[in-house]
Amino acid sequence: MNVEQTKRTLMELPPRKSVLLESDRGLGKSEVVAQTAQALSEKLKISFGLIDFRLAQCEVADVIGMMRHVDTGEITRTVYKNGKKDLETKTLKNITVHDFAEWFPQDPNSYGFLFLDELFRAPRDLQNAVMELALDYRYHFKELPMGWRVIAASNDNMDIYSGSFPDPALYDRFLKIKFKPTVPEWLTYAKSVGVHKAVIQYISKFTADLMPENIEVGKISPSPRSWVSLSDCIKYMIQNGDDVLKDLDYLLLLSKGYLGDTIALNFIEYILSLIHI
């Protein structure tokens, strides 16, 4: 799905349907989730939350909270009475409970996205904890408000990334979206956030260089994210009196760090051709 199709899906799915965005690196998975949250806040005219976890940097307790012993505590269980589902609350003594994690939305009328990035780079025990959140929207008797949706993201080729292959039981809990923005969508985004015109003009002409399909492990290759980062460097240096566009030898060295040798050289040759026009 492209950007607009992905936004449409995230905005229109019914409650309690979890989504997994899969794509190569640097294509804007986090950005499209943030944009959709913003769009929903405008559409619904409410405060719309976005809780963003980088699971590769988390432990289980970061997501589900810490356990502690209490002398007396209340627990709520699901029971069936006369063939109907009900909730039953009991007060028990000498039990172990899980505290609410600091991120957990406790307002039952709240809305938002719980965004779990780098899902398959997370430790396996953390992935197991995510299973319950993604399917049942709860953990240890604590249920996410109905207005919240679980969205996860992962790189879609674990052969070249550090991480584990998807556990089938976890993978099955999500609607899988193969996320692939189009070049026109990226150019529209780039203009809206002020990407330098040299980058926009180059990608408009050489669209395949936005993100080449064949990448090699350990070799620098451009992505939409790296083009934006290069633009940020160019703009910042120019604003501080260092016009790198007038020192193409240096700009080539800088560009290689984001784009790799071949595309960096093509980028510099394009800028040089503009100067000579």
Side-chain angles (χ1 to χ4, degrees), residues 13-224:
L13 279 182
R16 297 311 199 232
K17 299 300 180 185
S18 300
V19 177
L20 173 62
L21 302 179
E22 297 180 295
S23 76
D24 214 329
R25 88 283 183 218
L27 286 183
K29 296 184 288 294
S30 302
E31 182 67 25
V32 77
V33 172
Q35 289 177 7
T36 307
Q38 180 180 355
L40 281 168
S41 72
E42 295 171 357
K43 177 182 178 180
L44 302 175
K45 301 187 185 305
I46 58 171
S47 174
F48 198 92
L50 175 59
I51 298 172
D52 188 346
F53 277 108
R54 298 293 189 268
L55 291 183
Q57 302 167 20
C58 295
E59 298 179 353
V60 174
D62 296 325
V63 175
I64 68 172
M66 296 292 291
M67 291 189 299
R68 63 186 174 91
H69 175 267
V70 294
D71 294 329
T72 304
E74 283 191 347
I75 65 168
T76 300
R77 293 171 172 162
T78 299
V79 297
Y80 289 88
K81 297 179 180 179
N82 298 320
K84 294 183 179 181
K85 184 177 179 180
D86 197 2
L87 295 177
E88 181 180 81
T89 299
K90 287 188 175 182
T91 300
L92 301 176
K93 293 184 178 181
N94 193 31
I95 61 173
T96 298
V97 298
H98 269 85
D99 285 328
F100 278 107
E102 61 181 356
W103 63 267
F104 196 93
Q106 298 185 45
D107 180 357
N109 298 314
S110 62
Y111 290 78
F113 288 150
L114 173 59
F115 182 49
L116 306 175
D117 200 4
E118 301 177 339
L119 177 60
F120 298 119
R121 290 187 176 188
R124 185 63 76 180
D125 58 346
L126 182 51
Q127 292 183 32
N128 291 337
V130 169
M131 282 191 190
E132 188 175 19
L133 276 172
L135 182 64
D136 300 321
Y137 278 68
R138 67 177 176 85
Y139 67 81
H140 297 297
F141 307 109
K142 296 178 175 65
E143 187 171 341
L144 283 171
M146 187 60 66
W148 284 77
R149 174 172 289 132
V150 175
I151 302 175
S154 177
N155 296 316
D156 63 358
N157 186 354
M158 297 312 297
D159 287 327
I160 61 174
Y161 294 106
S162 174
S164 59
F165 284 96
D167 182 309
L170 176 58
Y171 197 57
D172 187 56
R173 282 160 165 75
F174 295 93
L175 165 66
K176 275 71 71 176
I177 293 179
K178 297 296 185 180
F179 179 62
K180 189 173 183 180
T182 65
V183 174
E185 284 178 330
W186 185 84
L187 289 171
T188 299
Y189 165 77
K191 292 172 184 176
S192 72
V193 298
V195 169
H196 195 279
K197 63 180 181 181
V199 171
I200 291 175
Q201 290 172 353
Y202 179 82
I203 296 301
S204 297
K205 188 175 180 63
F206 303 100
T207 58
D209 285 353
L210 178 62
M211 185 168 185
E213 293 186 2
N214 297 320
I215 63 174
E216 297 182 46
V217 177
K219 289 192 176 182
I220 302 170
S221 181
S223 69

